[in-house]
Amino acid sequence: MKITYPPFGDARIAIESFLRDFGHEVIPPPPSTNRTLSIGVKYAPEFACLPLKITLGNYIEAIEKGADTILMLGGIGPCRFGYYAEVQKRILKDLGYDVEWIILDLSNGWMNLFKNIKKVVNGNNIIKVIKVLRLAWEKVLAIDEIEKIARRARPFERYKGEVDNIIRETYKKLDQADSISHVKEILLDYRETMDNIIDKNRLEDLVKIGIVGEFYVVLDHFTNFEIARRLGELGVLAENAFYIEDIVRIYIPIFRSKDIDERTKVALPYIKRSVGGEGQRTIAHTIEFAEKGFDGVIHLSPFTCMPEIVADGVLERVSKDYDIPVLTLSIDEQTGLAGVTTRIEAFIDMLKTKKKRRMAG
Ligand code: SF4
C-alpha cells in the first residue's frame, strides 16, 4: 500500500510521521502549486469549494508519483466537507484512477470506522499505536509553536527570508525526530535562535492583526498566498485564530475540548447556532481579537463557502460594535496575488496610521 493524504499547511509533517511509523510507504503529495490548482479546477464541479479543488489536485499529483491509497476524513459537520471524500472518490474513479480509499468517517457506523482505523494502524499493537500517536501529537504541538514564534520574529528579520530559512531547517529535523525528547530538543534550539531575532522592546509597537476564517484557507500557506509571511515582512504581527491543534480538537471527536464551545458563545448575539465549518467561530474569533486589543482582522473565506458567507453577512456589524476594522478576502481560483497584496497593503497602511494617531493622542 502506497498511501497519500490531503495536505494542509505544515500538518503534513505530523501526518507523514504517524503513517511512516505505522509502517506504511507514504507518498506525500508534492507541495501545492498553480498546476495542482488547475488540475483540481479542471476536474472538480465548478461550484465546489476551493479546498476540495486543491486537495483533488494534490491527490492526482500524488497518484502520478505512485500513490495507490488515499487517507481522508469524512462525514463531519453540516457543511460540504462531509461530502468531499465521496465526491473526490467518484471523480477519480470516472477519470480512471484505480485507488483505494480509507475514509475515517463515523456516519457509516462504528464497525466501518474500526475497519478503517485497523488499516491505518497496520497491524501494530496498542502500545506501539499509543507511542506513534503521542509522537505525532508532540509534532503537532511543535509545528504550532514554531509557527506562532515565527510570526513574532518575522517583523524583526535581519535579512529577507531569515525566519523561513530557520523554519525549513527546523522542519527537516522535526520530520526525522523519532522520540518526544528529540522533538523537545529541536524546539528548544529553535526558541533560542528566534529569541535572538525578536526585539521584545518593540513587540508592543507592532500593528497586530488577527486572521480568522475557514480552517483550510487559514492554515494552508499556498491557498492563502502565504499571508502570514507577507504580513510579517510588512512589519505586522499576524496571529491566527487557531492552529493545527485547535482544528484537531474541533473536528476529531475524541480530542474535542469544551473550551471550543465556550469560546464560540460570544458569537451568539450575532449567529444563534452553528452554520457549519468555521462560520460561527469566525465571529467569535473576531470579537476575541478586538477584546485582546488587536488593530485589525483579516477574514479569509473560500468563494462559495456558505458558513463564511453567513459570517461575512454579520462581520460589518461586529466590526462596528467592537470598533475593529475587518478586511474580508474571498479566495478562489481566479484570485491573483497582485490583487490580494494591494488590498492587504492598503489595509495595513490604514491600520498603521490609525495606530500612530492613537499612540500620539
Ligand atoms: S467550511 Fe466552507 S470551504 Fe470548508 S468545506 Fe465547508 S463549505 Fe467548503
Side-chain angles (χ1 to χ4, degrees):
M1 175 152 87
K2 294 178 177 175
I3 196 163
T4 194
Y5 56 87
F8 68 95
D10 301 317
R12 63 184 174 79
I13 296 168
I15 302 174
E16 260 175 73
S17 164
F18 81 79
L19 289 174
R20 235 179 12 225
D21 292 350
F22 281 144
H24 293 292
E25 185 178 346
V26 187
I27 308 285
S32 299
T33 59
N34 287 338
R35 177 180 186 263
T36 319
L37 178 59
S38 19
I39 296 175
V41 168
K42 186 168 172 193
Y43 298 120
E46 193 185 342
F47 286 100
C49 23
L50 189 64
L52 183 146
K53 292 176 182 170
I54 297 181
T55 48
L56 180 66
N58 291 135
Y59 295 150
I60 293 178
E61 289 188 321
I63 294 168
E64 288 169 354
K65 280 177 65 196
D68 57 20
T69 306
I70 296 171
L71 173 66
M72 176 61 173
L73 296 178
I76 298 168
C79 81
R80 284 183 271 175
F81 180 78
Y83 310 127
Y84 271 28
E86 284 309 320
V87 173
Q88 292 173 324
K89 196 171 162 182
R90 274 193 212 173
I91 295 171
L92 291 185
K93 195 167 169 229
D94 290 348
L95 290 172
Y97 292 113
D98 180 22
V99 281
E100 193 193 334
W101 283 78
I102 303 177
I103 303 173
L104 301 180
D105 172 8
L106 233 185
S107 58
N108 287 329
W110 283 99
M111 284 307 285
N112 191 57
L113 179 64
F114 280 131
K115 209 174 80 196
N116 283 332
I117 290 176
K118 246 174 107 181
K119 285 186 195 163
V120 176
V121 301
N122 202 17
N124 286 284
N125 64 40
I126 186 73
I127 295 172
K128 169 93 180 177
V129 171
I130 292 171
K131 204 174 152 209
V132 167
L133 291 180
R134 280 194 61 203
L135 179 59
W137 184 244
E138 208 58 40
K139 289 191 181 183
V140 165
L141 301 180
I143 294 164
D144 284 350
E145 187 167 345
I146 288 168
E147 187 60 33
K148 287 176 198 171
I149 297 176
R151 286 155 189 247
R152 291 153 60 87
R154 270 202 198 94
F156 304 109
E157 278 184 330
R158 292 163 292 196
Y159 59 88
K160 199 172 173 199
E162 182 181 20
V163 169
D164 285 339
N165 290 344
I166 299 168
I167 291 184
R168 218 169 293 125
E169 286 311 308
T170 309
Y171 278 161
K172 264 190 219 158
K173 291 182 210 156
L174 192 65
D175 188 39
Q176 297 306 317
D178 54 8
S179 68
I180 292 180
S181 56
H182 194 185
V183 172
K184 291 196 164 141
E185 262 169 46
I186 293 167
L187 210 47
L188 206 65
D189 275 357
Y190 175 80
R191 278 192 211 117
E192 275 173 21
T193 314
M194 288 302 188
D195 268 353
N196 292 327
I197 300 177
I198 300 172
D199 182 345
K200 294 196 179 72
N201 298 323
R202 284 171 49 218
L203 261 180
E204 272 313 301
D205 298 341
L206 298 177
V207 164
K208 281 191 251 157
I209 290 207
I211 300 178
V212 304
E214 193 266 350
F215 94 82
Y216 183 88
V217 190
V218 170
L219 292 176
D220 190 65
H221 309 306
F222 168 76
T223 313
N224 64 33
F225 298 92
E226 297 187 78
I227 193 163
R229 182 175 64 73
R230 287 177 203 287
L231 288 170
E233 286 172 2
L234 288 170
V236 168
L237 183 94
E239 248 184 47
N240 276 5
F242 48 80
Y243 293 84
I244 302 167
E245 179 193 356
D246 306 285
I247 289 307
V248 173
R249 292 200 184 280
I250 290 169
Y251 286 103
I252 303 189
I254 51 164
F255 288 99
R256 192 163 175 98
S257 72
K258 280 192 183 143
D259 182 48
I260 307 281
D261 302 318
E262 281 304 311
R263 280 176 73 191
T264 312
K265 278 186 183 160
V266 285
L268 290 177
Y270 299 92
I271 298 182
K272 299 243 173 298
R273 62 186 70 84
S274 171
V275 289
E278 267 61 62
Q280 206 184 22
R281 279 187 291 273
T282 288
I283 302 302
H285 295 145
T286 304
I287 296 172
E288 255 178 29
F289 280 127
E291 288 177 342
K292 282 199 227 158
F294 274 59
D295 300 288
V297 161
I298 294 184
H299 170 218
L300 299 178
S301 162
F303 187 63
T304 79
C305 168
M306 261 309 152
E308 295 307 325
I309 291 174
V310 175
D312 198 27
V314 291
L315 263 179
E316 202 181 316
R317 196 147 58 87
V318 178
S319 163
K320 269 193 199 135
D321 291 352
Y322 285 85
D323 188 25
I324 185 158
V326 177
L327 170 71
T328 292
L329 295 174
S330 175
I331 299 177
D332 71 356
E333 57 269 26
Q334 313 292 342
T335 312
L337 175 60
V340 169
T341 311
T342 312
R343 293 190 62 200
I344 291 177
E345 285 177 356
F347 188 60
I348 303 301
D349 280 348
M350 186 267 285
L351 295 182
K352 281 186 176 168
T353 314
K354 213 175 152 201
K355 185 160 184 139
K356 249 188 227 157
R357 269 200 221 125
R358 206 176 47 231
M359 286 171 89

